[in-house]
Structures are given as structure tokens and as C-alpha cells.
Amino acid sequence: MEVHFLWNILRLGIKKVTDLKNPSLRAFYSVEVAILLLGLVSLSLAGNYNYGQVVEKSLLFYEAQRTGLLPTNNRIPWRGDSFITDRGTSNEDLSGGYFDAGDFVKFGFPGASAMTMLAWGMYDSKQGYQKAGQWTNALACLRWGMDYMIKTHPSANVLYVQVGDGQEDHSFWGRPEQWAGSNPRPTLRATTTLPASEVAGEQAAAMAAGAMVFLDNGETAYGATLLRHAEQLYLYATTYRGKYSDSFPVVREFYNSYTGYGDEFLWAAAWLYRATREDKFRQDYTRWWTEFSLGGRPSEASWDWKQAHAQILLAKIDGSAQYVNAARSFCDWAVHTVPRTPKGLAFISEWGSLRHASNVAYICLQAASAGINASAYRTFAKSQIDYILGDAGRSFVVGYGVNPPQRPHHAASSCPNLPAACNWSAFSAPGPNPQILNGALVGGPDRYDNYVDDRADYVANEVTLDYNAGFQSALAELTYLYN
């Protein structure tokens, strides 16, 4: 609308200048019109992004993170089969799934959180994926995660929450296909005596949301399988309560549980109610809301803290005043109170600054779709995603836009083409990563918009499943709204 208005002013201005008889006045106003033209071009280009194209690239990032036996239609030529011998303590097959980040550990907590966010985006922003022509690829992406989560839950009260050891993994730099460490890799197995309530609750939410996607797609048997696992995991999480970082202190260095499991109980109950419409889950989310005092405003939306996610989902599927007010409080805070960088990024945390902004963007887009301050929240969300795609003067998505990152902190993509060796010399090499990790969202800039494309800077240049999940879902919704 602003662009159309300015074009009309410009057209009138050009006519007035050409009508002027005085050469001095004509020269003066010609400069004014030129300035207006430059401003118009800038406004026309800012935010003029093909969101659907970035959805496509983000899905390629997830494909680059696959482990196990890769499918015959693998689209990442520099990736092959890896870690096919991952096994549980009772020899369960734990191959498959996704690497967490630039390393090769399969961390269950952030991994499940990423799948929930992807499933949410696929269910509620399906039309965006369809407009982008990426629905089939999105289904394959989600199925890869769901298939692995089925494997990690071999019986009702057993859940494998991690495969691989962080310390051992971080001592290796190279191709996952040429792993030189423990084989099979160590695992963390949650049971009734070693509970992992937040991981089980999150995985219950992910599988309930995933069930809705596949049931809606006509895959009745697969959807029913996911829903059965979701209900069992929810019962396990809420019956045998305990923080997974207490049961397994080794995880604290990597993905510690800071906020406990109450938010995951609320989140899982909301998704199970949405998937089944069984009143027992409505009663549960009402109970968790009170028991864990979840009506306040959280200060982020992350893999660990699901309070805002749940508030906004409940505002959408329940509509009671307490949920709507909580959703409005969080998104109003994001829009009006969160500090901004000089170029406009809502700066919540330095670690994964773009991830935080993307997560808030998507859940507030969902608040908008529930009829809460729709115009303001959509404008805010678009501004955050546009910042990432280029409004800050550069792209922060590998393989997309102007001056994208070329040195993400990612071992596999830092390796040269075979048969050349890959080791720590690839980590310290000054040039771009030889393999383009298309679609990966890097951690991002500091609070002053400063960013250096340096592979060794894992705060600014880490890439993870979690970083791309809310980002991809926001892209799908913006594709539907704007492209």
C-alpha cells in the first residue's frame, strides 16, 4: 500500500518537474524526485522475498542432517549412510533420525521440540507448504523424525533420550560416514527409576502433532501409531515425574532442563486434546495450568521453555479468556517491549538470536490466526523473518540471498570432496565450507547487529534442528499470507 502511494506521488512529481519552465527550479526538484525514487526502490526491495523458496532450502538443511540408511532419493550428494549400528541396551535399532547440529549426537529433548514445531507449522500452515510446492518434501522431513521417535520408545515406560556422547563427539571433526569413535555409540535410557518427564512430554506433543498431520493427509494407520505412542509417553511423563537432567547429569553441559517439566505437561496435554478431543486431556491442561502457575509471561519461546507455545495453542483451540490474555501478553511484549537491535531484530538472547526471534515470530503468527491483534503480530513476524533474509543488509541463511553465511559451524559441510581427507584442518581452514549447507539458519548477530562469518564462532554460526524449526514454520505461514 505504501509503495503504491509513493508511486503515485512520484508520477505527479515527474509531471510537475517536466512542466517547470525555470531551469534552476527544474534542477532542484529533479534532485528531490531522484531522492524519492531511491527511497521507493529501497522500500520496494525490502522484504520482497520468496518465502516459499526458503522453505525449500530449509527442507534441504534437514535432509543434510539425516543419519542412518539414507533413501534412494537422497538429494544431498555429499552425504551417505552413517551410524547404522546405533543400538539400545537391549539391542534395539536406534539408527536413523537427525543429527542435532554441526555435530553427530542425537539429543532427544531439542530434537523432539524441533519436530513439534515443524508439525505445528505443517498442520496450521499447510497451505503455505502447498503454495511453495513443498508439501511432499515436508511430509518426508517430518516422517523421518517420527520414524526415529517410534524407535526410541520401544515400550510404554522406556524412552531413549540420547544417542552418542557429547564429549567424544566434540573431539572428532570430519565426515559422519567416517566416524572413528565408539561403535555402537553410548545411549541414555529413561525408565521408571530414571525418569525424563520433560523429554517424554515433549515427544508426546511432537507425536500427537505429527499424528494430526498424517491423519489429515489420509494416513490413518501411521497417524494412529503416532497417537498411541503419544498417549503412552504422556502417561509415562506425568506418572513417573523427574527432570531428565537430574537422571542424566551428563546432559547439563549440552541441553540442561532449566524450566522443569510443567510446561511440557501443559504443551502435551493441549496437543493430545487437539488430536483426540478427549475431555480428560482438557481437564489435564486445566490442572497443569494451575499446578505449575503457567499463566504468567515467559521471557522466551525455546526448546526448553514451552509456556508461551502452550498459551497460544490453548488460546487457539480453547479460547478461554485466561489463555487469550496470556497469549496477548506474550506477543504484546515481543512486539512492543523486547529490545531491538539498531536494524530491528527482536533481541531475546545472544545464543541463537535468530532462532529466538523466529520462534516468537511463528507462535505470534498463530496468535494472529486465532484473531488476536492479527495485523500487529503479522507485521512484527514478517519484519523478523525479513531481517533474517536480507533487511539487515545480508542474509543469515546459507545458500540464500545477498552475502549469505559461507562458514557455518558444521563438520560434514566443512569437508572437501572425496577422496580428500577431512579432519581438524578443515575446521581451521580459512575458506568457505566446500559443501553448501543450503537452508541452514545460523545463530546470528549480537545485540548491535554485529556478525562475523567464522566457522570457529559457534555462538554466531552454529546450526541446529531447533534453529530451523520455528523459522521454517514462520516461512510457511508467510508464504500463505504474502507470496
Side-chain angles (χ1 to χ4, degrees):
M1 195 165 182
E2 302 99 326
V3 174
H4 181 70
F5 178 68
L6 280 176
W7 273 119
N8 284 332
I9 294 177
L10 179 63
R11 189 172 47 162
L12 288 171
I14 293 171
K15 185 176 187 306
K16 292 294 183 185
V17 169
T18 56
D19 288 346
L20 288 171
K21 305 300 182 185
N22 186 315
S24 298
L25 285 175
R26 186 183 301 164
F28 173 78
Y29 284 110
S30 294
V31 172
E32 297 299 306
V33 169
I35 291 171
L36 178 60
L37 179 60
L38 285 172
L40 177 59
V41 170
S42 175
L43 181 60
S44 299
L45 293 177
N48 187 23
Y49 304 108
N50 185 333
Y51 301 119
Q53 183 183 17
V54 193
V55 169
E56 179 180 14
K57 288 185 176 293
S58 181
L59 287 164
L60 288 171
F61 164 69
Y62 280 103
E63 292 182 25
Q65 295 299 101
R66 285 174 172 172
T67 178
L69 289 169
L70 299 188
T72 55
N73 64 349
N74 169 42
R75 298 190 291 171
I76 313 299
W78 44 274
R79 284 299 326 284
D81 299 341
S82 62
F83 297 104
I84 59 175
T85 58
D86 282 348
R87 290 289 184 275
T89 56
S90 298
N91 203 38
E92 301 98 334
D93 177 13
L94 297 180
S95 63
Y98 290 104
F99 298 134
D100 170 64
D103 52 17
F104 310 132
V105 182
K106 294 186 284 193
F107 291 106
F109 195 13
S113 177
M115 291 303 108
T116 316
M117 286 296 283
L118 287 176
W120 193 5
M122 288 177 65
Y123 190 76
D124 282 288
S125 303
K126 179 178 180 178
Q127 289 174 293
Y129 280 102
Q130 291 173 326
K131 285 181 73 173
Q134 294 302 311
W135 182 243
T136 299
N137 289 329
L139 286 171
C141 173
L142 187 61
R143 192 189 311 275
W144 194 267
M146 294 291 136
D147 284 351
Y148 173 70
M149 288 199 287
I150 290 172
K151 291 181 178 182
T152 64
H153 184 228
S155 59
N157 297 326
V158 171
L159 176 64
Y160 285 93
V161 300
Q162 185 171 312
V163 176
D165 175 79
Q167 293 290 352
E168 181 184 33
D169 188 280
H170 289 183
S171 68
F172 173 85
W173 191 271
R175 301 180 181 91
E177 297 83 2
Q178 297 175 333
W179 170 252
S182 300
N183 192 5
R185 297 190 291 173
T187 61
L188 300 181
R189 181 176 183 262
T191 62
T192 57
T193 55
L194 286 172
S197 289
E198 56 277 88
V199 187
E202 182 61 49
Q203 190 155 318
M207 299 182 95
M212 295 190 72
V213 171
F214 287 104
L215 289 170
D216 184 61
N217 199 56
E219 299 185 52
T220 307
Y222 191 61
T225 296
L226 294 176
L227 200 53
R228 175 173 55 83
H229 281 278
E231 294 194 42
Q232 287 183 354
L233 283 163
Y234 176 75
L235 184 61
Y236 165 57
T238 55
T239 302
Y240 301 97
R241 297 190 187 189
K243 290 173 62 175
Y244 97 119
S245 49
D246 290 340
S247 295
F248 307 103
V250 68
V251 306
R252 294 174 185 167
E253 183 180 350
F254 301 97
Y255 287 100
N256 190 27
S257 174
Y258 293 101
T259 63
Y261 45 73
D263 51 331
E264 279 79 28
F265 286 3
L266 183 70
W267 183 225
W271 273 111
L272 281 162
Y273 175 73
R274 192 182 194 192
T276 67
R277 294 295 168 178
E278 292 184 21
D279 190 62
K280 64 181 180 180
F281 296 118
R282 183 189 62 79
Q283 293 178 24
D284 276 0
Y285 69 63
T286 303
R287 175 157 59 110
W288 306 140
W289 181 270
T290 302
E291 179 177 335
F292 295 102
S293 301
L294 294 171
R297 180 189 57 73
S299 56
E300 65 179 49
S302 66
W303 59 266
D304 182 38
W305 204 351
K306 313 299 166 22
Q307 188 173 344
H309 305 60
Q311 289 172 344
I312 288 166
L313 181 62
L314 288 170
K316 186 167 186 173
I317 67 174
D318 182 293
S320 297
Q322 60 187 346
Y323 307 130
V324 172
N325 290 338
R328 181 181 291 110
S329 174
F330 180 79
C331 290
D332 281 354
W333 167 78
V335 172
H336 301 298
T337 306
V338 169
R340 301 292 185 98
T341 67
K343 294 181 180 179
L345 179 68
F347 197 86
I348 294 171
S349 172
E350 186 169 21
W351 193 287
S353 59
L354 300 178
R355 166 268 309 268
H356 282 288
S358 297
N359 286 349
V360 171
Y362 186 65
I363 67 175
C364 291
L365 283 169
Q366 284 301 299
S369 74
I372 307 170
N373 292 349
S375 179
Y377 295 169
R378 285 171 178 157
T379 298
F380 163 77
K382 188 177 188 300
S383 74
Q384 298 306 293
I385 300 304
D386 288 355
Y387 176 103
I388 292 169
L389 299 183
D391 276 11
R394 65 171 304 147
S395 166
F396 292 98
V397 180
V398 178
Y400 176 82
V402 175
N403 192 23
Q406 299 184 67
R407 300 166 184 81
H409 183 83
H410 187 270
S413 71
S414 77
C415 293
N417 292 330
L418 287 167
C422 185
N423 48 43
W424 283 103
S425 64
F427 171 81
S428 55
N433 288 14
Q435 317 304 334
I436 299 175
L437 189 64
N438 277 303
L441 175 68
V442 297
D446 66 15
R447 65 182 65 250
Y448 304 107
D449 299 303
N450 297 315
Y451 169 79
V452 178
D453 184 10
D454 179 359
R455 190 180 303 111
D457 184 351
Y458 48 80
V459 175
N461 291 289
E462 184 75 273
V463 295
T464 79
L465 301 179
D466 162 58
Y467 286 12
N468 266 69
F471 174 61
Q472 182 175 302
S473 294
L475 288 165
E477 182 71 5
L478 293 177
T479 300
Y480 167 65
L481 291 172
Y482 297 109
N483 278 168

